Amino acid sequence: MLKAIRAPKLVRRTVRKLIPMWATDILAQTEDGTAKLPVAFERGLFQGDSLSPLLFCLSVAPLSWEMRKRKGFKSIHGPHPITHLMFVDDLKLYEESREELEESIRKAEEVSELVGMRLGLKKCAVAHATAGRVVGGGPAKLDSGAVIAKIAGEETYRYLGIPQLLLPDSEKAREKVKKEYLGRVRATWATNLNGRDKARMHNTWAVAVLRYYLERLSGDR
């Protein structure tokens, strides 16, 4: 992927040397003291490494590129169709028909497998809506035989860790956002990172929740 986006050779070489060095230690208390077991990461990205979020976003970029080719949903608020929303590993797909949506899901599954990932189907859900209201329709069936459950009635789904509805209760939504944001702020500033890294983590992880909702609910103020 780094080569595909024409990253400098020095950057590619550095990343290639760093990845095999990813490791951690498991500590266990025994009668003889503390035992330490080194564990090397042989697949995936090492969570906690400051380079990992960038590498992960680069690795899933083909998924976003492919979704931009889809027909998507034409909104009355602009000339451009909405095909998807994506923030790190949270993904929403939009289509105007059930058939088109299932095709988008199949394409997402196909691209995910090509970049070495799998969809977390247990966390996935499908919603069929008309005029902003959830209507009938069955679950989505993938070529692999897996099934993605359908949202029904007043059930919610989660995006950026926040439960949502198609037409959310504004006050409840704001309270959930406030709780999630403050929780992330406390978690960020309780870490052992230095001040600069704490500020960076706050601005990229905690503020992301506020940014999404301020943009989405701006017309409800």
Side-chain angles (χ1 to χ4, degrees):
M1 182 54 63
L2 291 176
K3 187 175 182 180
I5 65 173
R6 299 180 181 180
K9 290 183 179 179
L10 178 59
V11 173
R12 303 203 307 264
R13 187 163 57 247
T14 300
V15 172
R16 192 180 301 115
K17 290 183 178 180
L18 287 175
I19 289 179
M21 299 169 59
W22 282 341
T24 189
D25 293 325
I26 297 178
L27 302 179
Q29 295 294 330
T30 67
E31 295 179 354
D32 299 325
T34 301
K36 182 171 69 173
L37 174 65
V39 177
F41 294 91
E42 298 181 353
R43 59 176 296 178
L45 293 173
F46 178 28
Q47 294 191 23
D49 189 302
S50 59
L51 188 61
S52 294
L54 176 59
L55 292 178
F56 181 84
C57 289
L58 288 175
S59 68
V60 298
L63 177 56
S64 184
W65 298 340
E66 190 64 33
M67 290 302 102
R68 291 178 65 179
K69 300 177 184 178
R70 301 293 304 162
K71 182 179 179 181
F73 173 79
K74 295 180 180 179
S75 171
I76 62 174
H77 300 293
H80 303 293
I82 302 172
T83 59
H84 71 292
L85 292 177
M86 192 171 189
F87 185 85
V88 190
D89 60 346
D90 278 349
L91 173 66
K92 283 186 183 182
L93 302 178
Y94 294 89
E95 291 291 353
E96 291 189 343
S97 70
R98 175 179 175 180
E99 292 74 21
E100 289 289 343
L101 180 60
E102 290 189 351
E103 179 59 31
S104 287
I105 295 173
R106 283 193 289 268
K107 181 60 67 173
E109 183 183 38
E110 176 185 335
V111 176
S112 296
E113 291 179 352
L114 288 175
V115 299
M117 298 188 303
R118 289 179 297 178
L119 297 180
L121 298 182
K122 292 183 179 180
K123 296 182 179 180
C124 294
V126 175
H128 305 288
T130 299
R133 299 293 180 184
V134 177
V135 296
K141 297 181 180 179
L142 306 182
D143 293 338
S144 61
V147 175
I148 298 180
K150 182 183 78 72
I151 294 176
E154 296 299 315
E155 291 181 352
T156 63
Y157 64 95
R158 299 179 72 86
Y159 185 67
L160 298 183
I162 304 295
Q164 300 181 42
L165 289 169
L166 291 176
L167 294 176
D169 183 303
S170 298
E171 285 302 319
K172 290 182 179 180
R174 291 192 183 98
E175 285 302 314
K176 291 181 181 296
V177 170
K178 178 181 177 181
K179 182 178 179 180
E180 179 69 17
Y181 170 70
L182 292 178
R184 294 190 180 193
V185 169
R186 285 190 289 268
T188 297
W189 293 94
T191 65
N192 293 323
L193 298 173
N194 59 47
R196 181 178 179 180
D197 287 341
K198 284 182 179 180
R200 184 176 300 169
M201 180 178 176
H202 175 274
N203 291 335
T204 56
W205 185 50
V207 175
V209 177
L210 288 181
R211 184 183 300 118
Y212 171 76
Y213 266 87
L214 288 176
E215 292 174 354
R216 189 168 185 268
L217 301 178
S218 59
D220 191 53
R221 287 181 292 180

